[in-house]
Every structure is written in C-alpha cells, then in structure tokens.
Amino acid sequence: MEKETKNLVLHADGDSFFVACELTLRPELQGKPVIVGEDRGIAVAMSKEAKKLGVTRGMPIFKIKKLYPEVVILPHHFDLYHEISSKMQQILLSYCQIVEVYSIDECFALVEPAEIKYFGNEKKFLTELKNEIEKTLKVTYSFGLARTKALAKQASKLEKPNGVVLLLSKDDEIEALKKTSIDDIWGIGKQTIPRLKNKKIKTAYDFINFSEVELEKYFSASLVDLQKELKGEYIFKVTDQADPRDQKSIQATSTFRPASTDSKIIWREISENAERACTNARELKLVTNKISFFIKTSDFKYYFEEIKIPLYTRDPGVILNALELKFPKILKVGKKIRSTGVILHNLFREENTPRDLFEEQIKVLENGKIEEVADKIRAKYGRGMIKRAASLKRKV
DNA sequence: TCTGGGGTCCTAGGACCC
DNA sequence: TCTGGGGTCCTAGGACCC
C-alpha cells in the first residue's frame, strides 16, 4: 500500500485553548461558562458552556455582561499559554521529528511510517499521543491526520472539541470534504467565498472538483495550491519551528476608549506603541529602517503612513521623531480616532545589520561634506533626526 | 455603549535599465 | 513622430490567518 511508504501530516488544535489554560490553574471553574478577553474588551476564547449560551468570538465584553451575567470573564495570561504551548511542542517532538508550531494553540507535525508501525496503527499512535498530552498538560486538543496540511487542518475541525479524525483513504477524504462548507476552508477568506459560490461551489468537495484550468485563470495561485493540497498532493511543507528572530515585522497597537480627536491623547498612544514595539525589538536584538504607523477612526477606517529612516535603529526617540513629521498629516482626517499602532518593518539582526547609512554619513562627513549630508537628512526627515541619530551613535 | 492585537504572503504595477 | 520589447527590483496594499 502506498500510504505505508509515505509520511502523514498531523494537525493538533487546542480546544478553547486560552480558557483551557486558565482552567488548569482554576479547576473550580470547570463546567462553567468562562471566557478570556477582559483586558481586550472582546471575547477571545470561550469555554464550550459559554459557546452554548451564545457567546461568540469577538463579542464585546459589555454586551456579554449584559446578556449573560453568569459568564466568568478573565484577562489574558500569555506566559501561561506560552508555557503550555511549548510543553505541547516538546511532547510532539518526542513522537515526531519535524514539528511546526503554527500558532500558540496549533501545531503541524510530520508523522513517519516507522512511528505508526511502532504503535501498531494510526489510531493507536494518536490515542497514545493524546493521552500523554492530556495527562501532562491538563488541556485537550483536537487532531487531524491526513496526507497533507490542508487536509489535516480540515480534519481536526470536524470533531472539535477533543476530536480525532483520520483521513487514511481517498473515501475518508471525500467524506470529510463533503461535510466541509466552502466558508470553513483554511485559506479561503471572505473576499473569495462569494466568488466561489458564484461558481456553484458550496463545499470543499465541490472545490476540489472545480476545473483547475478555470481556477488558475480566474483565481490566485495560492488557491490552485490549496486545491492540490485538498486533493492530497503534498504542497505546503511542514517546517520546523521558525526562529523568532526571522520575524518580518513587529507591531504594537492600542485601542483607547472613548475615541478621541485630542492630538495629545493620540500622540501619547503612538509614543507608547513605539516604545512597546522597540522593547520587543530589543528583546529579539533586531533593528529596523522602515516604520509605519496608523490610526483607526471610530468608523473603522485605517489611515497609514510609512517612513524610511536613514539608519538602523530600535530607539523609540528616533522613531518618534520620524513619525512626528507625518503626524499632522494623518490627523487631518478630522474624525474621532479609536486606535493607533506602530509597525517596524525591514527587520535585521543587529549583529549583521548592513552598514547603515549613518556610517556612510560619517565617512562623507569626514570628507568634509558635513553640511550637505545633514541638510539632505533634515530636508527629508526633519531637524530632530540628526540629533537623535547622533545620540544613538554614542549609546552604541 | 458594536467590532483586540499580532502576524505572513502574494500580486499588480511603477521605476528603472538595456 | 504616437513611437519596441525585454528584464529586474521594489513597493503598496489586498487577502488571509490565529
């Protein structure tokens, strides 16, 4: 049989993960409607009892309090979630060589035929793994095991919570795909769903039977790959844990209530965002030379500004000086503002940061072109830049 | 008194070059 | 005079995810 010579993909998805983590420390809340998200103003995770009451993801806390006063509302404890998540990774690594931590509550893993053989069969392998996880972590996961990532991902959803779904034959796959609505496919979002529905595609099964040629012609390349994956062709590779230092961007955002037009309040939030983003960058020893910031108005429109800075930095002072120049422009929207954010792009590891423009400037300065360069930078980035850059230089 | 916060990847099209 | 055809690199923003 072919399947015995091929790897399978395992997907593990934490059940009500944040709530489940909280319950490990507060078992007395077991069986009660519990949600996490107090500090964010919306429900981020719900226990199944809370879901049963009608609480949905994203529901505002004030509304939950009003409609369902019996719900226990908890703030986030990310350290706890990370701790449990990394223990989960360790357990998976004792069963599988390649484990990909996809998010705090989800993992993919490559399961080799030898591993299955050791336990007897797929079912026994998963039962063993599942038992160990529950015993050690006191939280449950739902599992999908299939030929590809996309199939495993859909499989794990089918019997949530605490489910185990094995797609070991073509028939298993077809049955699962027939049960999966086009609204619930990983990688197909709200822009694409209506377009597919126009083509009479209602289920994942309809999707895999849709003409590949037409898909290629009218939809994106990633959708073509997704279709192949759901047909059983291994396209999306399971990759080992990425180094956090390979991160491409760092952002810090904040919502403040009430929404405001007061530029002082807004600027204070942006400063705080910049500081948080920089703290994060410092921990990862990363620097940036491109930043952006945005405001979100109370009617949920985003306004972005992007700025290149002529050196590599993670100094909030330097960043804020650069942002300050664009600040009046973005304030011109003249609406109430409900949230702000600062994003650091173009991240480099500090130890192999390319020779930054500042160093180049020093060289040029030594050649006697000091004013020319300084003026250029002032013209482009404002007077503050020179000073800040200089003070940064001394610190380094 | 509707609607966190933190990410990635793809793509169309402009800039620039020969 | 209405005028080529490539190619590459970069960027903004769309789409999607947990």
Side-chain angles (χ1 to χ4, degrees):
Chain A
M1 282 280 283
E2 203 191 15
K3 78 176 188 199
E4 279 170 356
T5 65
K6 291 244 167 107
N7 292 330
L8 287 171
V9 177
L10 177 69
H11 180 246
D13 190 342
D15 299 319
S16 305
F17 187 67
F18 293 176
V19 169
C21 291
E22 296 291 340
L23 293 187
T24 63
L25 298 183
R26 305 172 69 171
E28 73 277 9
L29 293 177
Q30 199 79 46
K32 295 193 174 158
V34 179
I35 68 158
V36 169
E38 184 177 39
D39 48 329
R40 293 237 177 115
I42 58 154
V44 172
M46 301 83 64
S47 72
K48 60 174 187 288
E49 293 78 11
K51 283 180 196 164
K52 209 178 270 175
L53 280 177
V55 182
T56 53
R57 203 192 127 84
M59 191 180 272
I61 297 293
F62 76 86
K63 198 169 166 185
I64 296 168
K65 282 184 177 164
K66 199 161 84 183
L67 293 175
Y68 317 106
E70 67 272 44
V71 172
V72 180
I73 300 166
L74 304 173
H76 284 95
H77 296 101
F78 276 104
D79 289 350
L80 172 66
Y81 315 151
H82 279 294
E83 188 190 325
I84 294 176
S85 176
S86 94
K87 283 182 185 160
M88 168 66 174
Q89 184 190 2
Q90 293 312 311
I91 294 174
L92 280 177
L93 276 170
S94 68
Y95 287 76
C96 310
Q97 304 229 1
I98 297 183
V99 173
E100 175 180 336
V101 178
Y102 180 69
S103 74
I104 196 163
D105 66 336
E106 284 182 45
C107 297
F108 288 99
L110 218 50
V111 183
E112 289 166 28
E115 201 60 41
I116 303 283
K117 204 170 271 175
Y118 177 83
F119 287 94
N121 60 38
E122 290 84 357
K123 185 90 195 165
K124 286 179 183 164
F125 163 80
L126 260 182
T127 306
E128 192 74 21
L129 172 63
K130 195 168 187 321
N131 286 344
E132 180 172 348
I133 288 165
E134 278 160 34
K135 214 170 86 191
T136 314
L137 305 181
K138 314 278 186 232
V139 302
T140 67
Y141 282 78
S142 292
F143 296 90
L145 186 66
R147 291 193 285 165
T148 69
K149 269 178 130 173
L151 283 168
K153 174 103 182 163
Q154 296 309 137
S156 69
K157 279 194 201 180
L158 285 174
E159 288 179 21
K160 242 180 159 345
N162 210 2
V164 174
V165 176
L166 310 175
L167 305 183
L168 302 177
S169 67
K170 194 75 202 164
D171 285 348
D172 293 344
E173 290 173 5
I174 289 171
E175 199 190 326
L177 295 177
K178 281 183 174 169
K179 278 194 267 186
T180 301
S181 156
I182 196 74
D183 304 275
D184 297 325
I185 301 179
W186 180 46
I188 299 182
K190 64 174 193 295
Q191 299 299 318
T192 311
I193 290 166
R195 296 176 58 209
L196 288 171
K197 284 185 175 169
N198 275 341
K199 302 276 182 191
K200 305 262 181 283
I201 298 171
K202 295 195 187 78
T203 68
Y205 183 65
D206 298 337
F207 178 66
I208 65 163
N209 287 309
F210 185 69
S211 146
E212 199 180 320
V213 176
E214 211 174 324
L215 199 62
E216 224 161 301
K217 201 165 158 194
Y218 299 112
F219 295 87
S220 70
S222 39
L223 225 57
V224 175
D225 282 347
L226 179 60
Q227 192 197 44
K228 287 182 182 157
E229 273 262 324
L230 289 171
K231 283 177 170 172
E233 190 180 336
Y234 183 65
I235 307 277
F236 305 149
K237 305 296 180 207
V238 179
T239 51
D240 289 279
Q241 169 73 339
D243 189 324
R245 299 193 68 202
D246 290 335
Q247 210 168 305
K248 307 248 182 334
S249 68
I250 292 173
Q251 61 178 290
T253 63
S254 59
T255 299
F256 40 101
R257 215 176 289 163
S260 172
T261 51
D262 184 338
S263 64
K264 282 203 195 67
I265 292 179
I266 298 159
W267 181 250
R268 196 183 62 212
E269 289 297 322
I270 289 175
S271 304
E272 193 267 335
N273 294 154
E275 271 163 34
R276 259 172 43 228
C278 288
T279 301
N280 192 340
R282 192 171 307 115
E283 279 165 9
L284 292 167
K285 296 189 192 305
L286 296 172
V287 291
T288 179
N289 69 350
K290 193 169 105 179
I291 52 189
S292 68
F293 73 118
F294 69 83
I295 56 173
K296 184 159 72 168
T297 55
S298 19
D299 56 349
F300 280 76
K301 296 264 187 325
Y302 283 88
Y303 298 86
F304 277 90
E305 285 295 332
E306 200 170 66
I307 305 162
K308 281 275 271 183
I309 37 180
L311 69 158
Y312 291 87
T313 184
R314 53 161 175 265
D315 182 317
V318 173
I319 285 170
L320 286 168
N321 270 331
L323 296 185
E324 208 171 359
L325 297 166
K326 300 262 186 169
F327 186 58
K329 184 176 169 196
I330 211 166
L331 269 188
K332 278 199 192 125
V333 298
K335 296 186 211 166
K336 279 195 178 174
I337 290 162
R338 82 184 316 270
S339 74
T340 63
V342 171
I343 306 166
L344 315 182
H345 307 265
N346 282 9
L347 299 176
F348 290 86
R349 295 177 180 225
E350 63 177 12
E351 67 274 15
N352 50 17
T353 298
R355 287 181 71 76
D356 68 42
L357 182 56
F358 192 83
E359 301 263 351
E360 296 299 315
Q361 286 154 23
I362 295 292
K363 263 203 243 155
V364 181
L365 298 183
E366 282 163 357
N367 290 339
K369 293 186 179 170
I370 181 159
E371 279 312 312
E372 192 184 314
V373 173
D375 283 347
K376 249 189 217 164
I377 293 178
R378 281 196 197 105
K380 203 162 177 189
Y381 302 100
R383 304 182 147 269
M385 282 310 295
I386 297 293
K387 246 187 322 202
R388 293 290 184 168
S391 77
L392 175 85
K393 186 65 188 171
R394 276 199 302 277
K395 266 187 257 168
V396 174

